[in-house]
Amino acid sequence: MVDSHRPAWLETAVFYEIYPQTFYDSNGDGIGDIPGIIERLDYVRRLGCDALWINPCFDSPFKDAGYDVRDYCKVASRYGTNDDLVRLFDEAHARGMYVLLDLVPGHTSEEHPWFRESQKQQRNEYSDRYIWTDNAFEGYSMPFIGGESERNATYILNFFKCQPALNYGFASRDRDWQSATDSDAARATRQAMVDVMRFWLERGCDGFRVDMANSLVKNDGDDKPETIRAWQEMLGAVKKDYPESAFVSEWGTPEQALPAGFDMDFYLDWRWNGVPNGYNLLARNVDGPLNVEDDKSYFSAHGGGSVRPFLDQYLPQYLKTRGEGFFCFITCNHDTPRMAPRLTDRERRVGYGMLLTMPGVPFIYYGDEIGMRYRDIPTVEGGYARTGSRTPMQWSAGRNAGFSDADAKALYLPVDPAPDAPNVDDQMRDSGSMLHWVHDLLELRSEHEALRAGADLTVLKAPEDSSLFVYLRSSRDGAERLAVVVNPGLNAQSFELPDDVHEPVEVLLHTGNVRTDSHTVRIAGQGFAVMRV
């Protein structure tokens, strides 16, 4: 089982997600790299982020942008070397920062040496490292015929065609070729993943974001009991030796992920067949990433309406897992369409205000702090519709937006060509910019215990007939209380503060036009405020 200890540093942490291909190119080859991340650490720290999540930087054929790992223990040459990554750990730690790497435990590339051995007809150590049927013409769960291996069998996929599933066993077996979760093969796979985590933790890594964390054990039902047990074993082994390491899961179900041993779980951007989950209800309640007119998200001034549908999804999950770990909000990520340009600058300011003051550890996607835009561009490395959120960071108005000195044709992805494309340099000089707004939000968060990851949340106002949302964040000892007021709609809203609020009410941060009179607060349309009460 996993020790209940969680790293204390998560209480005040703010993460900054970096897509390494497009963050900063230090050597002029058109692709971002680890030395480039090191060069920009001071920028991230000044913004107010003290932790990094770096998308996969391991050796890969890059058919899925690095989520098809060829060697878990080797940095891809496009990014640098293992020594460069260790130097990144050291440089981050010198600045009081932490670094999580991206672990892909459910599958590898089909070019991974384990898989090459597993493909062979003659039995060997890796024959059962992956899930194979007993016949080249028997697929499983999807139509797929073998023919690329010596074995008279078909391997099971975990996601892309290039990603054979690692073998953690089957919770419920309906074929002779399926192994149990306590089989030698499943145990060997779990140990192999523990070894990978230890390899990087020994070199200074502070933990991992875990890709598709709920995908390990097959036929595991909706409740995932065997996948939970697998993680309890693996994380228990790792945390015994590295108790301050941190783990965040791509799971989206905290009542499963946190008991499995993860310290954090994401509120992911999931939308299946037009049905929105909680994040969608807040930030992207529309099928098309650029479809402004039909967007019914809460942050949209024209279509959002009440926050109540979001709370109906969020609050049961928050209350059920409070104290067990953190259910975390993201501004966006590499799989999610950026809010800009679909949402206006004003709408995003209100949205980021809420996301960065809710419980949990916040995650900011690179470039969101300056309002980088989603763009409809051709797919690269399996990005498909996600590619438009992965474009180069815009540092300046200069060559290639300051991302790279390479010829524009050599860039991994094209930079935003618009004359008004936002960039860091311009926004640094503009005290009213989005960059300064995000900085001010993070500074406020760092200064107040009531905005810590584990501080309590109490909903004060969430009417079904308006866009008003008022919530109380309280420090665990009750000494500090902050009221957060969110009004993304176009109309001004008024409300009464609780009777136990003592005057005067102090407004700490706001977007403008908020007034307090005795216990009555009035906030303008598309407004946000944080008040000491």
Side-chain angles (χ1 to χ4, degrees):
M1 295 293 289
V2 178
D3 193 308
S4 60
H5 170 83
R6 287 189 305 278
W9 60 268
L10 289 178
E11 274 288 340
T12 57
V14 178
F15 278 88
Y16 190 86
E17 179 190 352
I18 291 177
Y19 195 69
Q21 293 94 316
T22 52
F23 190 61
Y24 187 66
D25 172 20
S26 70
N27 60 6
D29 66 355
I31 300 178
D33 46 52
I34 292 171
I37 296 174
I38 295 172
E39 286 189 38
R40 298 294 183 170
L41 279 177
D42 288 335
Y43 163 79
V44 177
R45 194 68 183 93
R46 285 195 299 270
L47 177 64
C49 299
D50 61 356
L52 303 178
W53 158 26
I54 300 175
N55 293 115
C57 57
F58 307 132
D59 180 52
S60 168
F62 291 103
K63 294 180 181 180
D64 183 21
Y67 283 93
D68 48 327
V69 178
R70 186 164 50 198
D71 188 339
Y72 287 107
C73 299
K74 178 183 177 182
V75 168
S77 59
R78 60 156 60 164
Y79 302 132
T81 66
N82 283 20
D83 288 341
D84 289 326
L85 188 53
V86 171
R87 185 164 70 91
L88 171 59
F89 300 150
D90 292 341
E91 293 285 351
H93 295 160
R95 293 165 172 81
M97 302 174 73
Y98 303 86
V99 182
L100 301 193
L101 299 179
D102 211 321
L103 181 70
V104 187
H107 54 263
T108 70
S109 164
E110 57 196 350
E111 297 183 21
H112 196 291
W114 295 346
F115 188 71
R116 294 297 196 203
E117 291 298 309
S118 187
Q119 286 181 301
K120 294 179 179 179
Q121 182 66 27
Q122 186 174 359
R123 294 282 302 174
N124 60 67
E125 178 184 355
Y126 300 99
S127 295
D128 297 323
R129 179 59 51 87
Y130 300 82
I131 303 174
W132 293 86
T133 72
D134 58 4
N135 187 311
F137 296 95
E138 182 181 359
Y140 192 77
S141 76
M142 64 181 70
F144 179 54
I145 297 175
E148 303 170 62
S149 307
E150 294 177 13
R151 294 178 68 160
N152 177 25
T154 293
Y155 54 91
I156 299 304
L157 304 179
N158 208 42
F159 197 56
F160 278 34
K161 181 266 172 192
C162 61
Q163 295 167 340
L166 286 163
N167 185 10
Y168 292 86
F170 284 71
S172 173
R173 292 184 287 164
D174 53 22
R175 302 286 193 282
D176 291 341
W177 46 265
Q178 296 168 352
S179 60
T181 56
D182 62 351
S183 66
D184 290 343
R187 283 197 294 267
T189 303
R190 295 194 295 270
Q191 183 59 52
M193 207 50 55
V194 168
D195 293 343
V196 169
M197 290 187 275
R198 282 181 169 149
F199 178 88
W200 289 112
L201 290 167
E202 288 171 3
R203 287 157 178 78
C205 169
D206 297 295
F208 297 89
R209 175 269 187 184
V210 179
D211 181 67
M212 295 179 62
N214 60 349
S215 72
L216 303 192
V217 177
K218 307 309 179 188
N219 288 1
D220 201 17
D222 293 336
D223 294 335
K224 304 292 181 182
E226 292 299 327
T227 300
I228 290 171
R229 274 190 278 272
W231 279 117
Q232 288 174 340
E233 176 186 320
M234 291 186 289
L235 294 178
V238 171
K239 289 189 173 191
K240 180 179 179 181
D241 295 329
Y242 300 94
E244 291 303 303
S245 60
F247 296 82
V248 56
S249 58
E250 185 188 33
W251 200 308
T253 310
E255 55 265 43
Q256 296 174 2
L258 300 181
F262 286 95
D263 304 292
M264 303 170 279
D265 190 24
F266 288 122
Y267 214 136
L268 297 169
D269 179 7
W270 283 343
R271 186 178 184 83
W272 304 114
N273 298 319
V275 178
N277 78 335
Y279 180 92
N280 275 172
L281 288 169
L282 286 179
R284 190 176 68 89
N285 193 359
V286 65
D287 287 329
L290 295 173
N291 188 345
V292 178
E293 292 77 13
D294 297 330
D295 191 353
K296 302 300 182 184
S297 64
Y298 176 64
F299 296 150
S300 170
H302 294 276
S306 172
V307 74
R308 178 56 58 183
F310 160 74
L311 293 176
D312 289 344
Q313 285 199 24
Y314 169 72
L315 286 177
Q317 298 178 89
Y318 166 72
L319 294 171
K320 188 173 182 179
T321 59
R322 183 169 52 181
E324 295 183 21
F326 304 118
F327 195 22
C328 303
F329 289 90
I330 61 173
T331 62
C332 179
N333 68 20
H334 60 290
D335 289 332
T336 302
R338 293 188 188 269
M339 293 187 197
R342 179 177 41 80
L343 297 182
T344 67
D345 179 274
R346 186 76 175 197
E347 289 167 334
R348 283 180 281 116
R349 286 175 191 247
V350 174
Y352 292 160
M354 176 178 163
L355 295 175
L356 298 178
T357 57
M358 286 287 280
V361 183
F363 284 73
I364 296 174
Y365 187 49
Y366 81 98
D368 278 353
E369 74 275 15
I370 59 171
M372 280 181 58
R373 302 158 174 159
Y374 176 88
R375 289 159 43 224
D376 186 11
I377 57 177
T379 184
V380 170
E381 294 185 355
Y384 301 107
R386 306 171 297 177
T387 307
S389 291
R390 302 177 177 186
T391 54
M393 180 66 176
Q394 294 153 202
W395 296 102
S396 72
R399 178 185 178 91
N400 297 324
F403 161 70
S404 172
D405 291 332
D407 186 279
K409 294 181 179 178
L411 298 184
Y412 175 83
L413 287 174
V415 299
D416 188 341
D420 64 344
N423 68 75
V424 171
D425 283 356
D426 287 349
Q427 294 201 13
M428 282 284 196
R429 292 189 290 267
D430 178 6
S431 61
S433 69
M434 179 67 77
L435 178 63
H436 280 275
W437 173 245
V438 172
H439 171 271
D440 291 348
L441 281 165
L442 297 182
E443 185 174 54
L444 183 75
R445 185 180 179 100
S446 71
E447 293 172 347
H448 293 277
E449 290 190 15
L451 294 178
R452 298 287 188 263
D456 287 338
L457 169 76
T458 304
V459 174
L460 298 181
K461 304 288 181 182
E464 295 184 358
D465 59 353
S466 83
S467 58
L468 181 67
F469 179 30
V470 186
Y471 51 96
L472 194 68
R473 297 295 312 281
S474 307
S475 60
R476 288 178 172 174
D477 61 4
E480 183 181 49
R481 303 191 309 171
L482 300 182
V484 182
V485 187
V486 185
N487 179 25
L490 294 172
N491 300 320
Q493 301 288 338
S494 298
F495 65 95
E496 298 292 320
L497 287 167
D499 292 337
D500 62 349
V501 171
H502 303 289
E503 296 184 69
V505 173
E506 180 184 3
V507 179
L508 302 175
L509 184 67
H510 61 94
T511 55
N513 202 359
V514 59
R515 299 198 307 270
T516 63
D517 179 14
S518 183
H519 278 59
T520 301
V521 177
R522 180 177 175 84
I523 187 165
Q526 294 189 285
F528 173 86
V530 180
M531 303 179 297
R532 191 195 308 273
V533 297

